[in-house]
Amino acid sequence: MKKSLTKQSIGSKVHFLYIRMITFSDLGLDASILKALSAANYSTPTPIQEQAIPLILSGKDFLGIAQTGTGKTAAFALPLLQKLNEQGVNGNAPKAIILTPTRELAGQIYKNLNLYGKYVEVKCGAIFGGVNERPQIQMLKKGVDILVATPGRFLDLFRQKCFSLKSVRYCVLDEADRMLDMGFLPDIERIVNQMPKERQTLLFSATLPKQIERLAEQFLKNPVKVEVTPPATTSENVEQSLFYVQRSQKQELLKNILKDDTCKRVLVFTKTKFGADRVCKELRKEDIASSSIHGDKSQWEREKALKRFKTGAVRVLVATDVASRGIDVQDITHVINYDLPLEPDGYVHRIGRTGRAGHTGSAFSFCDADEKPLLRNI
């Protein structure tokens, strides 16, 4: 049990106030889950975890509004692992489905499930596009309890009758607003309508547009809604700066910024795949170690680029918005919007890659004459 000590002066007297901090053991998690969290150096739950875990364990449908980097994955993964472990699983048909927009995010959730579920008898698997489907089909044949999936590959393998949804007890819709942005809403409705009506449904989103509200009304039964921060707000831990610049001068400005020694791990966003590759190529000419990541890259290429960025082999990762949600890298010092995002919410998601877990970060945005309407929207 952790305690923090504060001192309060009232007149000539000094009063010491002992404030007990919430720990994971206070949330109703059992010893096997707590053991895994301790091994992973997880000590204090984030606000979304603190509120979501007890509610999900109680069986309530849940609508969580929280920004990227607030610990949403553990908020739904921990109670799911515990509930399935307690109920007993046989590793055959999936009992829980987690739908998420990108293959990078699916891979990250799968990795975290295995980390948190190290000491429980729950089998996890992930299916997503961009890679050969055969290993995924073999995995499904062997059986899985929790299945993480992107909508496209899910529907593809489901239509091939590679797995059944008859045993599903839990459904998680993660990054719902991003799935909306990427046009997955019809697929989501098609998938969820195939699941048993008697299930617990959890929906997480950084923002709550009307379409997501309607989705929640359609699939969630009397949900508990929790907002840990106002939707679509930027983190106070991120210092934001704006540069008015001609488009032809953006590359030179980027190079000059990267000369600063404080730019240790930098994520650069471009509007197009071609732009990401071009920016990366120009940086390499200046001997600035960089990689690019976007939808045209193979899964192997994307994983390799992310690994090099995480390990520090490259200092700069240039990405498009499609790839941005799956980038879960600690200690990103700077986010640079080489091109402004087309949607205002995209700005929040982008700069949310830095200034995470109590750290501070910096976000630089370049704006040329054609982008001023986008800037006004932001």
Side-chain angles (χ1 to χ4, degrees), residues 71-134:
K72 295 196 299 292
T73 300
F76 62 76
L78 297 176
L80 281 186
L81 286 164
Q82 176 161 316
K83 293 182 79 165
L84 287 173
N85 192 54
E86 290 174 347
Q87 293 163 7
V89 289
N90 53 23
N92 293 329
K95 316 302 183 300
I97 301 292
I98 301 171
L99 295 173
T100 194
T102 68
R103 51 194 178 190
E104 285 82 14
L105 196 51
Q108 187 65 40
I109 293 171
Y110 172 69
K111 179 181 175 183
N112 287 341
L113 282 167
N114 287 322
L115 180 68
Y116 307 146
K118 188 176 181 181
Y119 302 106
V120 299
E121 298 296 326
V122 178
K123 293 172 65 177
C124 303
I127 56 175
F128 43 81
V131 295
N132 192 314
E133 66 181 26
R134 288 183 182 177

Short mmCIF file of all heavy atoms in Angstrom, two decimals, residues 71-134:
data_model
loop_
_atom_site.label_atom_id
_atom_site.label_comp_id
_atom_site.label_asym_id
_atom_site.label_seq_id
_atom_site.Cartn_x
_atom_site.Cartn_y
_atom_site.Cartn_z
N GLY A 71 -4.24 4.32 -20.96
CA GLY A 71 -4.29 2.98 -20.37
C GLY A 71 -5.57 2.23 -20.65
O GLY A 71 -5.97 1.37 -19.86
N LYS A 72 -6.22 2.50 -21.78
CA LYS A 72 -7.50 1.85 -22.09
C LYS A 72 -7.35 0.34 -22.25
O LYS A 72 -8.25 -0.41 -21.86
CB LYS A 72 -8.11 2.45 -23.36
CG LYS A 72 -8.52 3.90 -23.25
CD LYS A 72 -9.45 4.31 -24.37
CE LYS A 72 -8.83 4.17 -25.74
NZ LYS A 72 -7.73 5.12 -26.01
N THR A 73 -6.24 -0.12 -22.85
CA THR A 73 -6.10 -1.55 -23.10
C THR A 73 -6.18 -2.35 -21.81
O THR A 73 -6.92 -3.33 -21.71
CB THR A 73 -4.79 -1.85 -23.84
OG1 THR A 73 -4.77 -1.16 -25.10
CG2 THR A 73 -4.64 -3.34 -24.10
N ALA A 74 -5.42 -1.95 -20.80
CA ALA A 74 -5.47 -2.66 -19.52
C ALA A 74 -6.84 -2.53 -18.87
O ALA A 74 -7.29 -3.43 -18.16
CB ALA A 74 -4.39 -2.14 -18.58
N ALA A 75 -7.53 -1.42 -19.13
CA ALA A 75 -8.85 -1.19 -18.53
C ALA A 75 -9.84 -2.27 -18.92
O ALA A 75 -10.70 -2.65 -18.13
CB ALA A 75 -9.37 0.19 -18.91
N PHE A 76 -9.76 -2.77 -20.17
CA PHE A 76 -10.68 -3.84 -20.55
C PHE A 76 -10.01 -5.21 -20.53
O PHE A 76 -10.66 -6.23 -20.28
CB PHE A 76 -11.33 -3.58 -21.92
CG PHE A 76 -10.39 -3.50 -23.10
CD1 PHE A 76 -9.82 -4.63 -23.66
CD2 PHE A 76 -10.12 -2.27 -23.69
CE1 PHE A 76 -8.99 -4.55 -24.76
CE2 PHE A 76 -9.29 -2.17 -24.79
CZ PHE A 76 -8.71 -3.32 -25.33
N ALA A 77 -8.69 -5.28 -20.75
CA ALA A 77 -8.01 -6.58 -20.83
C ALA A 77 -7.94 -7.27 -19.47
O ALA A 77 -8.16 -8.49 -19.37
CB ALA A 77 -6.60 -6.39 -21.39
N LEU A 78 -7.64 -6.52 -18.42
CA LEU A 78 -7.49 -7.14 -17.10
C LEU A 78 -8.78 -7.80 -16.61
O LEU A 78 -8.77 -8.97 -16.21
CB LEU A 78 -6.99 -6.09 -16.09
CG LEU A 78 -5.60 -5.51 -16.37
CD1 LEU A 78 -5.26 -4.41 -15.37
CD2 LEU A 78 -4.53 -6.59 -16.35
N PRO A 79 -9.92 -7.08 -16.62
CA PRO A 79 -11.15 -7.76 -16.17
C PRO A 79 -11.58 -8.90 -17.08
O PRO A 79 -12.12 -9.90 -16.59
CB PRO A 79 -12.19 -6.63 -16.15
CG PRO A 79 -11.63 -5.52 -16.97
CD PRO A 79 -10.16 -5.64 -16.87
N LEU A 80 -11.34 -8.80 -18.39
CA LEU A 80 -11.70 -9.90 -19.29
C LEU A 80 -10.90 -11.15 -18.96
O LEU A 80 -11.45 -12.26 -18.88
CB LEU A 80 -11.45 -9.50 -20.75
CG LEU A 80 -12.48 -8.62 -21.45
CD1 LEU A 80 -12.12 -8.46 -22.92
CD2 LEU A 80 -13.88 -9.17 -21.30
N LEU A 81 -9.61 -11.00 -18.78
CA LEU A 81 -8.76 -12.14 -18.45
C LEU A 81 -9.20 -12.79 -17.14
O LEU A 81 -9.28 -14.01 -17.03
CB LEU A 81 -7.30 -11.69 -18.35
CG LEU A 81 -6.59 -11.38 -19.67
CD1 LEU A 81 -5.32 -10.58 -19.43
CD2 LEU A 81 -6.27 -12.67 -20.43
N GLN A 82 -9.50 -11.95 -16.16
CA GLN A 82 -9.89 -12.49 -14.86
C GLN A 82 -11.23 -13.23 -14.95
O GLN A 82 -11.38 -14.33 -14.42
CB GLN A 82 -9.97 -11.37 -13.83
CG GLN A 82 -10.48 -11.85 -12.46
CD GLN A 82 -10.14 -10.90 -11.36
OE1 GLN A 82 -9.01 -10.40 -11.27
NE2 GLN A 82 -11.08 -10.63 -10.48
N LYS A 83 -12.21 -12.61 -15.60
CA LYS A 83 -13.54 -13.22 -15.67
C LYS A 83 -13.50 -14.56 -16.41
O LYS A 83 -14.12 -15.54 -15.99
CB LYS A 83 -14.53 -12.26 -16.34
CG LYS A 83 -14.79 -11.01 -15.52
CD LYS A 83 -15.80 -10.08 -16.16
CE LYS A 83 -17.21 -10.58 -15.92
NZ LYS A 83 -18.23 -9.55 -16.20
N LEU A 84 -12.77 -14.60 -17.52
CA LEU A 84 -12.69 -15.85 -18.27
C LEU A 84 -11.93 -16.91 -17.49
O LEU A 84 -12.28 -18.09 -17.52
CB LEU A 84 -12.02 -15.60 -19.62
CG LEU A 84 -12.88 -14.86 -20.65
CD1 LEU A 84 -12.07 -14.50 -21.88
CD2 LEU A 84 -14.09 -15.69 -21.05
N ASN A 85 -10.90 -16.51 -16.77
CA ASN A 85 -10.14 -17.46 -15.97
C ASN A 85 -11.00 -18.05 -14.85
O ASN A 85 -10.94 -19.25 -14.56
CB ASN A 85 -8.91 -16.78 -15.39
CG ASN A 85 -7.92 -17.76 -14.78
OD1 ASN A 85 -7.50 -18.70 -15.44
ND2 ASN A 85 -7.56 -17.54 -13.53
N GLU A 86 -11.82 -17.20 -14.24
CA GLU A 86 -12.70 -17.66 -13.16
C GLU A 86 -13.80 -18.58 -13.69
O GLU A 86 -14.17 -19.55 -13.03
CB GLU A 86 -13.33 -16.45 -12.47
CG GLU A 86 -12.36 -15.64 -11.63
CD GLU A 86 -12.99 -14.37 -11.08
OE1 GLU A 86 -14.09 -13.98 -11.54
OE2 GLU A 86 -12.38 -13.75 -10.19
N GLN A 87 -14.31 -18.27 -14.86
CA GLN A 87 -15.42 -19.04 -15.42
C GLN A 87 -14.96 -20.38 -15.98
O GLN A 87 -15.76 -21.29 -16.17
CB GLN A 87 -16.11 -18.23 -16.52
CG GLN A 87 -16.82 -16.99 -15.99
CD GLN A 87 -17.14 -15.99 -17.08
OE1 GLN A 87 -16.97 -16.26 -18.26
NE2 GLN A 87 -17.62 -14.81 -16.69
N GLY A 88 -13.67 -20.47 -16.25
CA GLY A 88 -13.14 -21.69 -16.86
C GLY A 88 -13.27 -21.63 -18.37
O GLY A 88 -14.33 -21.28 -18.90
N VAL A 89 -12.21 -21.91 -19.06
CA VAL A 89 -12.20 -21.84 -20.52
C VAL A 89 -11.66 -23.15 -21.08
O VAL A 89 -10.93 -23.88 -20.42
CB VAL A 89 -11.35 -20.65 -21.02
CG1 VAL A 89 -12.03 -19.33 -20.73
CG2 VAL A 89 -9.96 -20.67 -20.39
N ASN A 90 -12.04 -23.42 -22.32
CA ASN A 90 -11.59 -24.67 -22.94
C ASN A 90 -10.73 -24.44 -24.17
O ASN A 90 -10.29 -25.38 -24.81
CB ASN A 90 -12.80 -25.54 -23.31
CG ASN A 90 -13.81 -24.79 -24.16
OD1 ASN A 90 -13.47 -23.82 -24.82
ND2 ASN A 90 -15.06 -25.23 -24.14
N GLY A 91 -10.49 -23.16 -24.53
CA GLY A 91 -9.60 -22.87 -25.66
C GLY A 91 -10.17 -23.27 -26.99
O GLY A 91 -9.42 -23.46 -27.95
N ASN A 92 -11.49 -23.44 -27.10
CA ASN A 92 -12.09 -23.79 -28.38
C ASN A 92 -12.59 -22.52 -29.08
O ASN A 92 -11.80 -21.74 -29.56
CB ASN A 92 -13.22 -24.80 -28.17
CG ASN A 92 -12.68 -26.14 -27.68
OD1 ASN A 92 -11.56 -26.51 -28.01
ND2 ASN A 92 -13.46 -26.84 -26.90
N ALA A 93 -13.88 -22.31 -29.13
CA ALA A 93 -14.43 -21.13 -29.79
C ALA A 93 -14.18 -19.89 -28.94
O ALA A 93 -14.15 -19.96 -27.70
CB ALA A 93 -15.92 -21.30 -30.03
N PRO A 94 -14.00 -18.71 -29.58
CA PRO A 94 -13.73 -17.48 -28.82
C PRO A 94 -14.85 -17.14 -27.84
O PRO A 94 -16.04 -17.25 -28.17
CB PRO A 94 -13.62 -16.41 -29.91
CG PRO A 94 -13.32 -17.15 -31.16
CD PRO A 94 -13.99 -18.47 -31.03
N LYS A 95 -14.47 -16.71 -26.63
CA LYS A 95 -15.43 -16.24 -25.62
C LYS A 95 -15.48 -14.72 -25.59
O LYS A 95 -16.45 -14.14 -25.15
CB LYS A 95 -15.04 -16.74 -24.22
CG LYS A 95 -14.60 -18.19 -24.13
CD LYS A 95 -15.65 -19.14 -24.61
CE LYS A 95 -15.18 -20.58 -24.43
NZ LYS A 95 -13.95 -20.91 -25.18
N ALA A 96 -14.40 -14.09 -26.07
CA ALA A 96 -14.33 -12.62 -26.10
C ALA A 96 -13.75 -12.19 -27.43
O ALA A 96 -12.77 -12.76 -27.91
CB ALA A 96 -13.47 -12.10 -24.95
N ILE A 97 -14.37 -11.16 -28.03
CA ILE A 97 -13.90 -10.58 -29.29
C ILE A 97 -13.52 -9.13 -29.03
O ILE A 97 -14.29 -8.36 -28.45
CB ILE A 97 -14.99 -10.61 -30.38
CG1 ILE A 97 -15.46 -12.05 -30.65
CG2 ILE A 97 -14.50 -9.94 -31.65
CD1 ILE A 97 -14.41 -12.93 -31.30
N ILE A 98 -12.31 -8.75 -29.44
CA ILE A 98 -11.85 -7.37 -29.33
C ILE A 98 -11.61 -6.86 -30.75
O ILE A 98 -10.72 -7.34 -31.46
CB ILE A 98 -10.55 -7.27 -28.51
CG1 ILE A 98 -10.77 -7.82 -27.10
CG2 ILE A 98 -10.06 -5.82 -28.45
CD1 ILE A 98 -9.49 -7.95 -26.28
N LEU A 99 -12.41 -5.90 -31.18
CA LEU A 99 -12.27 -5.32 -32.52
C LEU A 99 -11.53 -3.99 -32.43
O LEU A 99 -11.85 -3.15 -31.58
CB LEU A 99 -13.64 -5.10 -33.15
CG LEU A 99 -14.44 -6.37 -33.45
CD1 LEU A 99 -15.85 -6.02 -33.90
CD2 LEU A 99 -13.74 -7.22 -34.50
N THR A 100 -10.56 -3.81 -33.32
CA THR A 100 -9.72 -2.62 -33.28
C THR A 100 -9.35 -2.22 -34.71
O THR A 100 -9.36 -3.08 -35.61
CB THR A 100 -8.46 -2.92 -32.42
OG1 THR A 100 -7.79 -1.71 -32.10
CG2 THR A 100 -7.51 -3.87 -33.13
N PRO A 101 -9.05 -0.95 -34.98
CA PRO A 101 -8.98 -0.50 -36.38
C PRO A 101 -7.75 -0.91 -37.18
O PRO A 101 -7.85 -1.09 -38.39
CB PRO A 101 -9.04 1.03 -36.27
CG PRO A 101 -8.59 1.34 -34.88
CD PRO A 101 -9.03 0.18 -34.04
N THR A 102 -6.58 -1.04 -36.56
CA THR A 102 -5.36 -1.27 -37.33
C THR A 102 -4.62 -2.52 -36.88
O THR A 102 -4.77 -2.97 -35.74
CB THR A 102 -4.39 -0.08 -37.21
OG1 THR A 102 -3.90 0.00 -35.86
CG2 THR A 102 -5.07 1.23 -37.58
N ARG A 103 -3.81 -3.04 -37.77
CA ARG A 103 -3.06 -4.25 -37.44
C ARG A 103 -2.01 -3.98 -36.36
O ARG A 103 -1.73 -4.84 -35.53
CB ARG A 103 -2.42 -4.83 -38.70
CG ARG A 103 -1.62 -3.85 -39.54
CD ARG A 103 -1.34 -4.44 -40.91
NE ARG A 103 -0.62 -3.52 -41.78
CZ ARG A 103 -0.43 -3.72 -43.07
NH1 ARG A 103 -0.91 -4.80 -43.64
NH2 ARG A 103 0.22 -2.86 -43.80
N GLU A 104 -1.43 -2.77 -36.37
CA GLU A 104 -0.46 -2.44 -35.32
C GLU A 104 -1.12 -2.45 -33.94
O GLU A 104 -0.56 -2.97 -32.97
CB GLU A 104 0.18 -1.07 -35.58
CG GLU A 104 1.20 -1.04 -36.70
CD GLU A 104 0.55 -0.93 -38.07
OE1 GLU A 104 -0.64 -0.61 -38.15
OE2 GLU A 104 1.26 -1.18 -39.07
N LEU A 105 -2.31 -1.87 -33.87
CA LEU A 105 -3.01 -1.82 -32.59
C LEU A 105 -3.45 -3.23 -32.17
O LEU A 105 -3.37 -3.58 -30.98
CB LEU A 105 -4.22 -0.89 -32.70
CG LEU A 105 -4.84 -0.42 -31.39
CD1 LEU A 105 -3.79 0.14 -30.45
CD2 LEU A 105 -5.90 0.63 -31.66
N ALA A 106 -3.89 -4.04 -33.13
CA ALA A 106 -4.26 -5.42 -32.82
C ALA A 106 -3.06 -6.18 -32.25
O ALA A 106 -3.19 -6.91 -31.26
CB ALA A 106 -4.79 -6.12 -34.07
N GLY A 107 -1.90 -5.98 -32.86
CA GLY A 107 -0.69 -6.63 -32.36
C GLY A 107 -0.31 -6.17 -30.97
O GLY A 107 0.13 -6.97 -30.13
N GLN A 108 -0.48 -4.87 -30.70
CA GLN A 108 -0.15 -4.33 -29.39
C GLN A 108 -1.09 -4.87 -28.31
O GLN A 108 -0.67 -5.23 -27.21
CB GLN A 108 -0.22 -2.80 -29.43
CG GLN A 108 0.28 -2.11 -28.17
CD GLN A 108 1.76 -2.34 -27.93
OE1 GLN A 108 2.56 -2.32 -28.86
NE2 GLN A 108 2.13 -2.57 -26.68
N ILE A 109 -2.40 -4.94 -28.62
CA ILE A 109 -3.36 -5.47 -27.66
C ILE A 109 -3.06 -6.94 -27.37
O ILE A 109 -3.09 -7.39 -26.21
CB ILE A 109 -4.80 -5.31 -28.19
CG1 ILE A 109 -5.17 -3.82 -28.25
CG2 ILE A 109 -5.80 -6.05 -27.30
CD1 ILE A 109 -6.49 -3.54 -28.96
N TYR A 110 -2.76 -7.70 -28.42
CA TYR A 110 -2.41 -9.12 -28.25
C TYR A 110 -1.19 -9.28 -27.35
O TYR A 110 -1.16 -10.13 -26.44
CB TYR A 110 -2.16 -9.74 -29.62
CG TYR A 110 -1.61 -11.14 -29.59
CD1 TYR A 110 -2.39 -12.21 -29.14
CD2 TYR A 110 -0.31 -11.40 -29.99
CE1 TYR A 110 -1.88 -13.50 -29.12
CE2 TYR A 110 0.21 -12.68 -29.96
CZ TYR A 110 -0.58 -13.73 -29.52
OH TYR A 110 -0.06 -15.00 -29.49
N LYS A 111 -0.19 -8.45 -27.58
CA LYS A 111 1.02 -8.49 -26.77
C LYS A 111 0.70 -8.19 -25.30
O LYS A 111 1.20 -8.86 -24.39
CB LYS A 111 2.03 -7.47 -27.31
CG LYS A 111 3.33 -7.39 -26.53
CD LYS A 111 4.25 -6.33 -27.13
CE LYS A 111 5.52 -6.15 -26.30
NZ LYS A 111 6.38 -5.06 -26.86
N ASN A 112 -0.14 -7.19 -25.07
CA ASN A 112 -0.50 -6.83 -23.70
C ASN A 112 -1.33 -7.91 -23.03
O ASN A 112 -1.17 -8.16 -21.83
CB ASN A 112 -1.25 -5.50 -23.68
CG ASN A 112 -0.35 -4.31 -23.95
OD1 ASN A 112 0.86 -4.40 -23.80
ND2 ASN A 112 -0.92 -3.20 -24.35
N LEU A 113 -2.23 -8.54 -23.77
CA LEU A 113 -3.02 -9.64 -23.21
C LEU A 113 -2.12 -10.76 -22.70
O LEU A 113 -2.34 -11.32 -21.62
CB LEU A 113 -3.99 -10.18 -24.26
CG LEU A 113 -5.26 -9.37 -24.52
CD1 LEU A 113 -5.94 -9.86 -25.79
CD2 LEU A 113 -6.22 -9.46 -23.33
N ASN A 114 -1.11 -11.09 -23.48
CA ASN A 114 -0.17 -12.14 -23.06
C ASN A 114 0.65 -11.70 -21.85
O ASN A 114 0.99 -12.51 -21.00
CB ASN A 114 0.75 -12.52 -24.22
CG ASN A 114 0.03 -13.33 -25.28
OD1 ASN A 114 -0.80 -14.17 -24.95
ND2 ASN A 114 0.31 -13.09 -26.54
N LEU A 115 0.95 -10.41 -21.78
CA LEU A 115 1.70 -9.88 -20.64
C LEU A 115 0.86 -9.95 -19.37
O LEU A 115 1.31 -10.46 -18.33
CB LEU A 115 2.10 -8.43 -20.92
CG LEU A 115 2.89 -7.69 -19.83
CD1 LEU A 115 4.28 -8.28 -19.68
CD2 LEU A 115 2.98 -6.20 -20.17
N TYR A 116 -0.39 -9.47 -19.45
CA TYR A 116 -1.27 -9.46 -18.28
C TYR A 116 -1.76 -10.85 -17.92
O TYR A 116 -2.05 -11.13 -16.75
CB TYR A 116 -2.50 -8.58 -18.54
CG TYR A 116 -2.21 -7.18 -19.01
CD1 TYR A 116 -3.07 -6.54 -19.91
CD2 TYR A 116 -1.08 -6.47 -18.58
CE1 TYR A 116 -2.83 -5.25 -20.36
CE2 TYR A 116 -0.83 -5.19 -19.04
CZ TYR A 116 -1.70 -4.58 -19.93
OH TYR A 116 -1.45 -3.31 -20.38
N GLY A 117 -1.86 -11.73 -18.91
CA GLY A 117 -2.41 -13.06 -18.67
C GLY A 117 -1.36 -14.13 -18.50
O GLY A 117 -1.64 -15.32 -18.69
N LYS A 118 -0.18 -13.72 -18.09
CA LYS A 118 0.95 -14.65 -17.96
C LYS A 118 0.66 -15.80 -17.01
O LYS A 118 1.15 -16.92 -17.20
CB LYS A 118 2.17 -13.85 -17.49
CG LYS A 118 3.48 -14.62 -17.47
CD LYS A 118 4.62 -13.70 -17.09
CE LYS A 118 5.95 -14.43 -17.08
NZ LYS A 118 7.07 -13.53 -16.69
N TYR A 119 -0.14 -15.55 -15.98
CA TYR A 119 -0.37 -16.57 -14.95
C TYR A 119 -1.82 -17.07 -14.91
O TYR A 119 -2.28 -17.57 -13.90
CB TYR A 119 0.02 -16.01 -13.58
CG TYR A 119 1.46 -15.55 -13.52
CD1 TYR A 119 1.77 -14.19 -13.51
CD2 TYR A 119 2.51 -16.46 -13.52
CE1 TYR A 119 3.10 -13.76 -13.47
CE2 TYR A 119 3.83 -16.04 -13.49
CZ TYR A 119 4.12 -14.69 -13.48
OH TYR A 119 5.43 -14.27 -13.45
N VAL A 120 -2.55 -16.91 -16.03
CA VAL A 120 -3.91 -17.44 -16.11
C VAL A 120 -4.02 -18.38 -17.30
O VAL A 120 -3.22 -18.31 -18.23
CB VAL A 120 -4.97 -16.32 -16.21
CG1 VAL A 120 -4.92 -15.42 -14.99
CG2 VAL A 120 -4.78 -15.49 -17.48
N GLU A 121 -5.02 -19.25 -17.27
CA GLU A 121 -5.21 -20.24 -18.33
C GLU A 121 -6.18 -19.72 -19.38
O GLU A 121 -7.26 -20.26 -19.58
CB GLU A 121 -5.72 -21.55 -17.71
CG GLU A 121 -4.78 -22.19 -16.71
CD GLU A 121 -3.46 -22.63 -17.35
OE1 GLU A 121 -3.49 -23.04 -18.52
OE2 GLU A 121 -2.42 -22.54 -16.67
N VAL A 122 -5.80 -18.65 -20.05
CA VAL A 122 -6.63 -18.06 -21.08
C VAL A 122 -5.80 -17.94 -22.35
O VAL A 122 -4.74 -17.31 -22.35
CB VAL A 122 -7.18 -16.68 -20.65
CG1 VAL A 122 -8.02 -16.08 -21.77
CG2 VAL A 122 -8.00 -16.79 -19.38
N LYS A 123 -6.27 -18.53 -23.45
CA LYS A 123 -5.54 -18.49 -24.71
C LYS A 123 -5.98 -17.29 -25.54
O LYS A 123 -7.17 -17.05 -25.73
CB LYS A 123 -5.80 -19.78 -25.50
CG LYS A 123 -5.22 -21.02 -24.85
CD LYS A 123 -5.67 -22.28 -25.57
CE LYS A 123 -5.14 -22.36 -26.98
NZ LYS A 123 -5.53 -23.64 -27.64
N CYS A 124 -5.01 -16.52 -26.02
CA CYS A 124 -5.29 -15.31 -26.80
C CYS A 124 -4.74 -15.46 -28.22
O CYS A 124 -3.73 -16.12 -28.43
CB CYS A 124 -4.66 -14.09 -26.13
SG CYS A 124 -5.20 -13.85 -24.41
N GLY A 125 -5.42 -14.83 -29.15
CA GLY A 125 -4.97 -14.85 -30.53
C GLY A 125 -5.33 -13.54 -31.22
O GLY A 125 -6.17 -12.78 -30.74
N ALA A 126 -4.68 -13.28 -32.35
CA ALA A 126 -4.94 -12.05 -33.10
C ALA A 126 -4.98 -12.36 -34.59
O ALA A 126 -4.19 -13.17 -35.10
CB ALA A 126 -3.85 -11.02 -32.81
N ILE A 127 -5.93 -11.72 -35.29
CA ILE A 127 -6.02 -11.85 -36.74
C ILE A 127 -6.14 -10.45 -37.35
O ILE A 127 -6.89 -9.61 -36.86
CB ILE A 127 -7.22 -12.74 -37.17
CG1 ILE A 127 -8.54 -12.21 -36.61
CG2 ILE A 127 -7.00 -14.18 -36.75
CD1 ILE A 127 -9.76 -12.98 -37.10
N PHE A 128 -5.37 -10.21 -38.40
CA PHE A 128 -5.38 -8.91 -39.07
C PHE A 128 -4.82 -9.08 -40.47
O PHE A 128 -4.17 -10.07 -40.79
CB PHE A 128 -4.56 -7.87 -38.29
CG PHE A 128 -3.25 -8.40 -37.76
CD1 PHE A 128 -2.14 -8.49 -38.57
CD2 PHE A 128 -3.14 -8.80 -36.44
CE1 PHE A 128 -0.93 -8.97 -38.10
CE2 PHE A 128 -1.94 -9.29 -35.95
CZ PHE A 128 -0.83 -9.37 -36.77
N GLY A 129 -5.11 -8.11 -41.32
CA GLY A 129 -4.68 -8.17 -42.71
C GLY A 129 -3.22 -7.79 -42.89
O GLY A 129 -2.52 -7.44 -41.94
N GLY A 130 -2.77 -7.88 -44.13
CA GLY A 130 -1.39 -7.50 -44.45
C GLY A 130 -0.39 -8.62 -44.28
O GLY A 130 0.79 -8.44 -44.56
N VAL A 131 -0.84 -9.77 -43.78
CA VAL A 131 0.03 -10.93 -43.62
C VAL A 131 -0.71 -12.17 -44.13
O VAL A 131 -1.92 -12.15 -44.31
CB VAL A 131 0.43 -11.15 -42.14
CG1 VAL A 131 1.28 -9.99 -41.63
CG2 VAL A 131 -0.80 -11.32 -41.25
N ASN A 132 0.03 -13.24 -44.33
CA ASN A 132 -0.56 -14.49 -44.80
C ASN A 132 -1.60 -14.98 -43.79
O ASN A 132 -1.35 -15.01 -42.60
CB ASN A 132 0.55 -15.54 -44.96
CG ASN A 132 0.08 -16.77 -45.71
OD1 ASN A 132 -0.99 -17.31 -45.44
ND2 ASN A 132 0.88 -17.23 -46.66
N GLU A 133 -2.76 -15.39 -44.30
CA GLU A 133 -3.84 -15.80 -43.40
C GLU A 133 -3.67 -17.23 -42.88
O GLU A 133 -4.30 -17.62 -41.90
CB GLU A 133 -5.19 -15.67 -44.09
CG GLU A 133 -5.39 -16.61 -45.26
CD GLU A 133 -6.73 -16.45 -45.94
OE1 GLU A 133 -7.33 -15.36 -45.86
OE2 GLU A 133 -7.21 -17.44 -46.55
N ARG A 134 -2.83 -18.04 -43.51
CA ARG A 134 -2.73 -19.45 -43.13
C ARG A 134 -2.33 -19.66 -41.68
O ARG A 134 -2.96 -20.48 -40.98
CB ARG A 134 -1.76 -20.17 -44.06
CG ARG A 134 -2.30 -20.36 -45.47
CD ARG A 134 -1.34 -21.15 -46.33
NE ARG A 134 -1.83 -21.29 -47.70
CZ ARG A 134 -1.16 -21.89 -48.67
NH1 ARG A 134 0.04 -22.41 -48.42
NH2 ARG A 134 -1.68 -21.98 -49.88
#
